[in-house]
Amino acid sequence: MNVDVLFNQFPILKSDRLTLKKIEEQHLDEVFEIYSNDHVFAYCGIIPKHNKATVKSMIGHFERDYLKKTRIKWGIFANDNPDHLLGIMEAFDFHQKVNMVTIGYFLSEAHWGKGIATEAVNILLHFLFMDVNVNRIQAEVMPPNENSKKVLMKNGFMKEGTLRQATLWSGKGIVDVEIYGMLKEDYEKGKG
C-alpha cells in the first residue's frame, strides 16, 4: 500500500460525471443536510446531527483525521455543478500489514437512486487498487440495507458473510453486519 499517494496531498479523483474532492467549510449547509437526515443514517453506525455547529466542527475533524492518516473523507460533486455536495465517500481502517482498507459512503437523500454512489465507489476502487496498490477493499453493511448492497454488487464486490451481533454501532446497539469484499485480482479480472 502506497500511503504517500493517499496522504502526501489530498487526492482529487474524477470521472466524466463526478469529482471526489476535499470537503471544505463552505459546504457546511450540504454536509448538515446529509448529517441531519435520519433516513441517510438508518443503516449506519452514525447518529444524525441536528446542530449545525456540531456539523461545522465535524468538517474540521475530517481534516484532523486526514492529517493523522486514519481516514479520508471525500465530498462527491457533480462536474456540472462542482460546488454542490451530493454525498460523502470515505476510506478508513488502513491495515498496511494486510494491505486492506474499508470504505463507506452516504448520499444526500435528494440524490438517491441516480447511480451516483455506484459511480463514486467505482472511482474510488480504481484509485485504491491501481494508484495506492491496495490488495483488498471491504465494506460493512447492515443486512436490511438493500440499496447499499446493490451499489457494492454492481461494482463487483462479493458478499463474504454475515458477522452476527459483531459490531457496536452508535444509536443501533450491537448489530449484525454483512461483509462485502473485493481483491485486486478480482478487480483486474473484471476490467479485463
Side-chain angles (χ1 to χ4, degrees):
M1 182 183 311
N2 186 348
V3 292
D4 291 344
V5 174
L6 291 167
F7 295 111
N8 272 0
Q9 98 178 33
F10 195 94
I12 297 172
L13 314 177
K14 293 186 175 203
S15 70
D16 291 341
R17 186 167 74 133
L18 299 176
T19 297
L20 307 185
K21 63 183 182 179
K22 192 174 185 179
I23 299 167
E24 308 278 359
E25 209 167 280
Q26 72 197 42
H27 305 118
L28 174 60
D29 289 341
E30 289 124 324
V31 175
F32 182 70
E33 180 185 325
I34 292 169
Y35 274 95
S36 64
N37 186 328
D38 293 352
H39 297 135
V40 171
F41 297 108
Y43 302 118
C44 286
I46 296 171
I47 297 172
K49 313 288 186 271
H50 299 289
N51 179 312
K52 209 172 225 184
T54 302
V55 173
K56 184 176 181 180
S57 71
M58 284 174 48
I59 294 172
H61 295 168
F62 299 168
E63 176 76 6
R64 177 201 65 198
D65 292 345
Y66 178 75
L67 294 173
K68 285 170 47 180
K69 302 181 179 184
T70 59
R71 180 180 299 254
I72 303 176
K73 283 198 192 243
W74 287 270
I76 304 169
F77 298 87
N79 292 339
D80 61 5
N81 190 359
D83 291 322
H84 181 71
L85 180 73
L86 308 176
I88 296 172
M89 171 69 61
E90 61 183 341
F92 55 98
D93 289 344
F94 298 97
H95 291 290
Q96 291 188 51
K97 289 182 180 170
V98 181
N99 199 8
M100 175 178 90
V101 65
T102 301
I103 64 167
Y105 44 87
F106 29 94
L107 294 181
S108 168
E109 190 172 7
H111 301 290
W112 289 2
K114 299 176 181 175
I116 293 166
T118 300
E119 187 170 340
V121 167
N122 186 273
I123 295 166
L124 187 57
L125 290 178
H126 180 82
F127 172 68
L128 291 173
F129 283 133
M130 306 317 289
D131 297 339
V132 183
N133 200 26
V134 169
N135 183 57
R136 174 182 166 80
I137 300 172
Q138 69 177 28
E140 298 177 350
V141 182
M142 283 180 72
N145 192 349
E146 295 299 329
N147 291 333
S148 189
K149 292 189 236 183
K150 286 178 190 168
V151 165
L152 295 167
M153 299 298 275
K154 285 179 189 173
N155 274 291
F157 279 79
M158 177 187 306
K159 179 182 174 186
E160 296 179 338
T162 302
L163 303 178
R164 298 177 307 140
Q165 299 178 17
T167 302
L168 176 61
W169 274 3
S170 299
K172 306 283 184 290
I174 296 172
V175 298
D176 296 350
V177 290
E178 293 180 4
I179 302 295
Y180 287 77
M182 183 187 294
L183 301 178
K184 185 174 184 179
E185 63 190 58
D186 303 332
Y187 179 79
E188 290 172 337
K189 279 182 203 159
K191 298 294 176 195

